């Protein structure tokens, strides 16, 4: 059963609210690409290590998902930035996000169920990050995630939370929905992604030194 609560808000008020919140998170961010069928979305996760809260911005792009038939890999073409579609404020199992219904803007409070992750010893390296496998059923879908304990952030893209490390990849068992981390930004410096590689927790994300 989903615990959803809708609150109507003036458009400009909630834009101002989330923009102000966005500025307070601007020092560290994690950018994801989200493949949903042929659509490619972009999400950015901002993390506040002092409050253990996060903000996730989600937007539609004009990028299309195609499959490389020879290697079976997903690739993106015709990339173009789109408008931000929704905001998610994340605190533990609480997800407060924006939703446009019938041209009315709402803040939706979603109290998420516990995600019962099964942690698996299997591991692999993703651009020099040692990642471990986890599985869970969430919102009626079976998910496989790869997370990095060296980055001790319990949040991930969309509504994911509860793993002992940042989610680097996640996909459903039908490969319809795929999340890939593509870059890590700290104080306007790219520490990972876009062909940048690193080996230590400090070089990946200096904010993690305090954990």
């Amino acid at each position: 059963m989903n615990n959803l609560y809708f609150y109507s808000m003036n458009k400009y008020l909630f834009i101002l609210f989330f923009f102000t919140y966005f500025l307070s998170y601007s020092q560290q961010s994690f950018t994801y690409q989200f493949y949903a069928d042929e659509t490619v979305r972009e999400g950015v996760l901002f993390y506040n290590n002092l409050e253990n809260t996060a903000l996730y911005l989600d937007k539609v792009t004009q990028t299309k998902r195609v499959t490389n038939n020879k290697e079976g890999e997903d690739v993106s073409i015709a990339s173009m930035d789109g408008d931000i579609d929704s905001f998610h404020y994340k605190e533990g199992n609480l997800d407060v996000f924006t939703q446009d219904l019938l041209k009315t803007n709402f803040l939706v409070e979603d109290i998420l169920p516990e995600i019962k992750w099964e942690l698996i010893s299997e591991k692999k390296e993703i651009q020099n990050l040692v990642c471990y496998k986890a599985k869970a059923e969430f919102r009626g879908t079976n998910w496989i995630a790869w997370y990095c304990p060296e980055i001790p952030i319990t949040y991930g893209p969309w509504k994911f939370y509860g793993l002992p490390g940042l989610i680097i990849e996640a996909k459903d068992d039908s490969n319809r929905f795929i999340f890939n981390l593509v870059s890590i930004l700290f104080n306007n410096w790219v520490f990972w992604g876009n062909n940048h590689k690193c080996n230590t927790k400090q070089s990946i994300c200096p904010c993690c030194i305090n954990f």
Side-chain angles (χ1 to χ4, degrees), residues 80-124:
M80 183 182 299
D81 288 339
D83 294 330
I84 292 174
D85 192 40
S86 64
F87 303 77
H88 293 256
Y89 168 73
K90 300 151 73 80
E91 183 175 354
N93 70 328
L94 174 65
D95 178 24
V96 180
F97 62 95
T98 57
Q99 181 72 54
D100 185 6
L101 297 174
L102 300 176
K103 298 185 178 180
T104 300
N105 299 286
F106 290 90
L107 273 181
V108 184
E109 184 179 287
D110 188 4
I111 301 175
L112 302 172
E114 178 187 0
I115 304 178
K116 297 180 180 180
W117 293 103
E118 177 188 352
L119 305 184
I120 301 171
S121 59
E122 183 180 348
K123 64 181 179 179
K124 69 176 179 179

Side-chain angles (χ1 to χ4, degrees), residues 139-176:
R139 291 282 161 91
T141 300
N142 294 317
W143 294 91
I144 295 174
W146 292 90
Y147 67 96
C148 180
E150 281 195 295
I151 310 177
I153 294 175
T154 61
Y155 300 104
W158 188 46
K159 297 176 180 289
F160 294 124
Y161 76 101
L163 278 170
L166 182 71
I167 291 177
I168 308 301
E169 291 182 2
K171 65 178 181 178
D172 74 321
D173 55 5
S174 68
N175 283 333
R176 286 188 61 200

Side-chain angles (χ1 to χ4, degrees), residues 18-210:
F18 279 111
F19 182 71
T20 302
Y21 209 82
F22 168 82
L23 290 178
S24 70
Y25 281 74
S26 60
Q27 298 303 305
Q28 52 185 308
S29 63
F30 308 87
T31 301
Y32 291 87
Q33 276 193 331
F34 171 36
Y35 300 89
D37 294 323
E38 294 184 352
T39 302
V40 179
R41 304 176 70 92
E42 182 178 289
V44 184
L45 179 72
F46 298 89
Y47 179 66
N48 186 327
N49 63 308
L50 298 178
E51 299 180 2
N52 191 27
T53 57
L55 183 67
Y56 185 71
L57 309 184
D58 178 67
K59 69 179 181 179
V60 177
T61 71
Q62 298 302 313
T63 305
K64 295 298 182 183
R65 174 186 176 187
V66 297
T67 300
N68 184 329
N69 291 327
K70 292 183 178 179
E71 299 180 3
E73 296 179 350
D74 291 314
V75 297
S76 301
I77 60 172
S79 179
M80 183 182 299
D81 288 339
D83 294 330
I84 292 174
D85 192 40
S86 64
F87 303 77
H88 293 256
Y89 168 73
K90 300 151 73 80
E91 183 175 354
N93 70 328
L94 174 65
D95 178 24
V96 180
F97 62 95
T98 57
Q99 181 72 54
D100 185 6
L101 297 174
L102 300 176
K103 298 185 178 180
T104 300
N105 299 286
F106 290 90
L107 273 181
V108 184
E109 184 179 287
D110 188 4
I111 301 175
L112 302 172
E114 178 187 0
I115 304 178
K116 297 180 180 180
W117 293 103
E118 177 188 352
L119 305 184
I120 301 171
S121 59
E122 183 180 348
K123 64 181 179 179
K124 69 176 179 179
E125 283 195 7
I126 304 174
Q127 289 203 46
N128 282 18
L129 297 180
V130 178
C131 301
Y132 290 84
K133 188 176 183 179
K135 298 192 299 183
E137 188 276 333
F138 180 57
R139 291 282 161 91
T141 300
N142 294 317
W143 294 91
I144 295 174
W146 292 90
Y147 67 96
C148 180
E150 281 195 295
I151 310 177
I153 294 175
T154 61
Y155 300 104
W158 188 46
K159 297 176 180 289
F160 294 124
Y161 76 101
L163 278 170
L166 182 71
I167 291 177
I168 308 301
E169 291 182 2
K171 65 178 181 178
D172 74 321
D173 55 5
S174 68
N175 283 333
R176 286 188 61 200
F177 307 111
I178 301 173
F179 294 90
N180 286 324
L181 181 70
V182 294
S183 69
I184 295 175
L185 185 69
F186 183 78
N187 285 337
N188 296 320
W189 289 87
V190 176
F191 281 86
W192 186 88
N194 298 328
N195 296 322
H196 290 74
K197 295 186 178 182
C198 51
N199 294 301
T200 66
K201 179 167 65 176
Q202 288 84 352
S203 62
I204 294 170
C205 185
C207 63
C208 296
I209 297 174
N210 296 326

